[in-house]
Amino acid sequence: MELLIIGVLGMLGIAGASLIAPKLRIPAPLLLVLVGIVISFLPFVAEFEIDPEWILAGILPPLLYSASVSMPTVDFRREFKTISGLSVVLVVISAVVLGALFSWLIPGLGLAGGIALGAILSPTDAVATTIVKRVGVSPRIVTVLEGESLLNDATALVLLRSAIAASAASVSLWGVLGDFVWAVLIAAAIGFLIGIVNLFVRKRVQDATVNTVISFTVPFLASLPAEALGGSGLVAAVVAGLVTGMGSVRFLKPQHRLSDEQNWRTVELLLESTVFLVMGLELSKIINDVQRDGAGVWTAVGLAAIGLGVVTLLRALYVAPLIASIGRTQKRGERIKPTLDKLQSKLDHAGDQDIKLERDGHSRTVPAKRLSQLRGRVQRKSADIDYFSKKPLGWREGTVVAWAGMRGVVTLAAAQTLPAETPSRSLLILVAFLVAGSSLLIQGGTLPWLVRVVRPAAPDPEENAAERAELMELLLEVARDQGASAAGTSHEKPLPEKPLNHDPHPSQEGHDPAADLADHEAVELLGALSAGAAERQERINRRSLRLNILLAQRELLLALRKEARFSSATLSHALATLDAEQVALEMRGEAEGH
C-alpha cells in the first residue's frame, strides 16, 4: 500500500511540475530534480535508493526506443558522421583524459578506476535533450544532440565494463576494442531483426490497442537478448526503434501509428520525469554514504567541479574543429553540385536506355537496369547538399552543441554499478551525481539565455510555409489524377428515381380509391428508398475514392522521403494530416455500417 501511495503521489507531482514549470519559465526536468532534492532532506523521509539496473535495463531501453522511432531516418543518415564522432570519439577521449586526471587526484584509485569514472561522466544523457528541444533551436541541432545521446551510452558502458575488468586483471587495448565492436555489432544485428519481426507481426494485428501493447515489449525484446550475448542492450533498442520508425508508414495502419504516438508520449513523460525525480531523491542517501565512509563532501564538490569543467572544455575543443570540418564538407558539396545537376539531367533524359558516362577522360556504359538506382543516389546526394546549404552549422550552432552536452541520470545509474570493492566508491557516486545534477542545473538552466545571446539558426516559418505549399501542390496533383482516373473508369448505372413497373397513367377501370392510395404511398416509399440507396451509394463511392487518393498520396510521400527532397518536418506534418483524414473516413464508414 505504501508503494502504491508513493507511485500515485509521484505521478501527481510529475503532472504538477509539467504544468507549473512553463509558468516559472524553467524546464520541468530541472524543477523535478530540485523537488526531489528538497524532499530527500526532509527529516521524516527515509533514505531513497533504486537499483541502477531498473534504470539501465528498465527505463532507458523504452526511452531510447521511443526517441529512435520518432527520429527522422533521413536526418539521422545525414548527420551520422557528426553523431558517430560525438558518441564514440569524444566519449573515448573524455574517458581517457578524465581517467588520467582522477587517478592522479584520488589516492589509490588507479588508472583503470579513473577511466571507469571518466566513462561514467563522459556520455550526454538522452533524457536531458528534452531541455534542448524546448528552446527553439533548429531541427538539425536537435538531430545531432539526440542522435549523440542515443549512441554514446553504448560507448561509455562498454568502456566502463572494460575498465572494471582491468582493475581486477590485465586487459589489452585490442581486448577493449574487440569488446566494443562485438557489443555494437551483435546489438545492431539483434535490434535490426527485432525491428523487422515487430513490423511483420504488428502488420497482422487488427486491434490498435493490442498493437500498442506489443510495441511496449519491443525495446526489451531487443535489449535483453543483446545484453545476454555481451552486446549493448541500448544500441539494440535504438536500432529496433530506427527500423520500426522507418517501416511503420508502410506496414502499420494510421490508427495504429496514432495510438502508438499518443501512448508513447505518456510513457515518455512518466519515465523521463521519474528519472529526474529519482536523481533528486537519492542525494540524501549518497551524501550520508560518503560521510559514513569518511570521505569529505567538499572533496566531492571540488572533484565534480573539476570533472564538469574538463568534460565541458573537451567538448568545446572537439566541437570547434568538427564544425570547421562540416563547413569544409559543405563547401565541397556546393562545388560539385553543378556536376551533379548535369548528371541528373542526363539521367532523366536517358529514360530506360543505356547511357555513356565520361569522367577524367574515360568513358563507361551504364546499363538501363542500373539507371534507376544511380538516379536515386544522385538525387539523394543533391538533396543532401541543398539541405546542408540551407541549414549550415556555424560557430553559433556549434556553441549551442558544445554547451548543450548535459549529463543526466545515465551517469548516476552507471556510477552505482561500480563494484562494492571499488576504492572510494561512495565518493565516486557522489561526484557522478554532482556532475550530472550541476550539469542539468547550470547548463540546462542557462541554455535558453545562451540561445538568446548567440542566436543560432532557428526554424524559418516562411521557408517552412513555402515548402509545405510546394508539397501540397504535388499532393493535389495526385488527387486530381486519381479523380480523373476514377471518372474515366466509372461504369456504374444510377439507381432509378421511381420503380420500373410504375405506370404514370393507370387505367381508370375498376378504380378503387383505397388501392389507389396504397399504390401512391408504395410509389413514394419505393422512391424514397431508391433515393436513399442512391445517396448511400454516392457516399460510399466518394469515400472509396478519397481513400484511394490518400493511399496514392501516402505513396508519394514515401517516394519523396526516399529522395530526401523535402524536410522531415514537412513530410511528417503531411503524413499526420493524411493519417488523421483516413482515420476519420474509416470511422464514418464504420458508423454507417460500410
Side-chain angles (χ1 to χ4, degrees):
M1 181 62 72
E2 182 179 352
L3 183 61
L4 178 61
I5 294 175
I6 294 175
V8 171
L9 292 177
M11 286 190 288
L12 291 175
I14 290 170
S18 300
L19 294 174
I20 295 173
K23 298 179 180 179
L24 299 178
R25 296 185 178 180
I26 61 174
L30 302 186
L31 180 60
L32 287 168
V33 172
L34 294 173
V35 169
I37 291 174
V38 172
I39 293 176
S40 70
F41 284 101
L42 294 177
F44 54 84
V45 175
E47 290 185 349
F48 182 86
E49 183 179 17
I50 186 172
D51 187 343
E53 286 300 318
W54 278 105
I55 296 176
L56 296 177
I59 293 181
L60 287 181
L63 276 177
L64 295 180
Y65 170 82
S66 180
S68 57
V69 166
S70 59
M71 167 74 72
T73 52
V74 172
D75 294 349
F76 186 81
R77 173 187 59 80
R78 284 169 168 165
E79 306 293 352
F80 185 75
K81 182 179 178 180
T82 303
I83 290 171
S84 59
L86 290 169
S87 58
V88 178
V89 179
L90 180 57
V91 170
V92 172
I93 293 174
S94 300
V96 172
V97 172
L98 288 173
L101 178 62
F102 284 125
S103 64
W104 176 61
L105 291 175
I106 303 176
L109 183 61
L111 182 59
I115 292 179
L117 181 57
I120 290 169
L121 301 181
S122 296
T124 57
D125 196 85
V127 180
T129 57
T130 58
I131 299 174
V132 180
K133 297 178 182 179
R134 299 168 185 170
V135 295
V137 298
S138 70
R140 190 174 177 188
I141 295 178
V142 173
T143 299
V144 169
L145 293 172
E146 194 166 39
E148 175 195 6
S149 64
L150 289 177
L151 299 179
N152 61 10
D153 293 336
T155 306
L157 294 176
V158 170
L159 282 176
L160 174 60
R161 186 169 57 196
S162 300
I164 292 174
S167 63
S170 60
V171 176
S172 66
L173 174 62
W174 293 111
V176 174
L177 182 61
D179 286 345
F180 176 76
V181 173
W182 170 257
V184 172
L185 290 182
I186 190 64
I190 293 175
F192 181 81
L193 177 63
I194 293 299
I196 294 295
V197 173
N198 167 44
L199 292 172
F200 178 81
V201 172
R202 293 175 61 196
K203 179 182 179 180
R204 289 156 176 78
V205 176
Q206 300 301 317
D207 190 284
T209 304
V210 175
N211 210 294
T212 301
V213 170
I214 295 175
S215 76
F216 289 155
T217 68
V218 174
F220 303 106
L221 293 175
S223 64
L224 294 177
E227 290 288 344
L229 294 176
S232 170
L234 301 183
V235 169
V238 168
V239 173
L242 290 173
V243 172
T244 301
M246 188 173 184
S248 61
V249 178
R250 189 173 295 278
F251 287 92
L252 302 182
K253 295 180 178 180
Q255 298 95 322
H256 297 175
R257 293 199 300 275
L258 292 173
S259 174
D260 275 9
E261 182 180 0
Q262 294 297 324
N263 286 284
W264 273 104
R265 280 184 183 178
T266 304
V267 171
E268 282 183 359
L269 175 63
L270 288 175
L271 294 183
E272 288 176 355
S273 302
T274 296
V275 294
F276 284 112
L277 187 60
V278 165
M279 279 186 63
L281 291 173
E282 288 191 312
L283 179 59
S284 176
K285 182 182 186 306
I286 293 172
I287 290 179
N288 291 336
D289 289 343
V290 170
Q291 292 174 337
R292 280 195 295 267
D293 292 343
V297 173
W298 289 109
T299 300
V301 172
L303 292 172
I306 294 172
L308 180 59
V310 170
V311 294
T312 305
L313 178 61
L314 289 174
R315 185 176 181 85
L317 292 176
Y318 182 85
V319 169
L322 176 66
I323 295 297
S325 174
I326 292 174
R328 290 192 296 270
T329 302
Q330 175 187 324
K331 291 179 181 179
R332 186 163 56 249
E334 292 172 353
R335 287 196 299 269
I336 68 172
K337 183 67 163 55
T339 304
L340 287 176
D341 290 340
K342 292 179 181 178
L343 178 59
Q344 184 70 56
S345 177
K346 191 171 185 178
L347 290 170
D348 291 339
H349 283 90
D352 297 329
Q353 300 177 353
D354 296 352
I355 64 170
K356 182 178 290 186
L357 298 179
E358 295 184 2
R359 183 178 181 182
D360 299 332
H362 301 281
S363 63
R364 64 188 182 94
T365 301
V366 180
K369 62 181 181 180
R370 294 188 56 193
L371 285 181
S372 178
Q373 184 179 6
L374 179 60
R375 189 180 294 113
R377 288 203 298 266
V378 173
Q379 287 175 341
R380 286 192 295 274
K381 182 64 176 178
S382 181
D384 290 349
I385 294 173
D386 291 337
Y387 169 82
F388 292 133
S389 299
K390 292 179 180 178
K391 300 177 174 62
L393 290 181
W395 70 268
R396 300 176 188 273
E397 293 75 25
T399 301
V400 175
V401 170
W403 189 246
M406 291 167 280
R407 277 64 191 166
V409 71
V410 173
T411 293
L412 180 57
Q416 291 175 320
T417 63
L418 290 170
E421 62 273 12
T422 302
S424 306
R425 181 178 183 273
S426 61
L427 177 66
L428 300 184
I429 294 176
L430 180 56
V431 169
F433 176 89
L434 293 175
V435 169
S438 59
S439 172
L440 288 171
L441 294 173
I442 296 173
Q443 293 174 270
T446 58
L447 189 60
W449 170 82
L450 180 69
V451 170
R452 289 194 298 270
V453 172
V454 177
R455 291 183 297 177
D460 187 348
E462 293 184 0
E463 180 182 341
N464 293 340
E467 190 177 51
R468 289 186 180 184
E470 181 183 356
L471 179 59
M472 179 60 67
E473 184 59 35
L474 293 176
L475 294 174
L476 288 175
E477 183 178 346
V478 170
R480 286 192 290 267
D481 291 343
Q482 288 290 319
S485 176
T489 58
S490 177
H491 302 288
E492 296 181 1
K493 296 181 179 180
L495 292 173
E497 297 183 359
K498 295 184 179 181
L500 295 178
N501 61 352
H502 174 63
D503 183 2
H505 302 289
S507 172
Q508 297 296 320
E509 185 178 354
H511 176 69
D512 184 354
D516 184 61
L517 178 60
D519 181 64
H520 178 72
E521 291 177 349
V523 169
E524 288 188 347
L525 178 59
L526 289 174
L529 290 174
S530 298
E535 184 179 349
R536 286 195 299 272
Q537 186 62 44
E538 184 179 355
R539 287 200 303 269
I540 293 172
N541 292 340
R542 284 200 302 266
R543 189 180 302 116
S544 177
L545 173 60
R546 186 56 191 148
L547 287 174
N548 289 335
I549 290 174
L550 291 175
L551 293 176
Q553 289 175 329
R554 187 174 290 110
E555 287 297 323
L556 173 65
L557 293 180
L558 290 175
L560 292 174
R561 185 179 70 174
K562 189 175 181 180
E563 295 176 5
R565 178 176 170 183
F566 291 87
S567 68
S568 298
T570 297
L571 292 176
S572 297
H573 178 268
L575 178 62
T577 302
L578 296 186
D579 286 348
E581 185 171 355
Q582 182 172 340
V583 170
L585 283 172
E586 292 176 348
M587 290 180 65
R588 285 198 293 269
E590 292 176 0
E592 295 176 4
H594 299 290

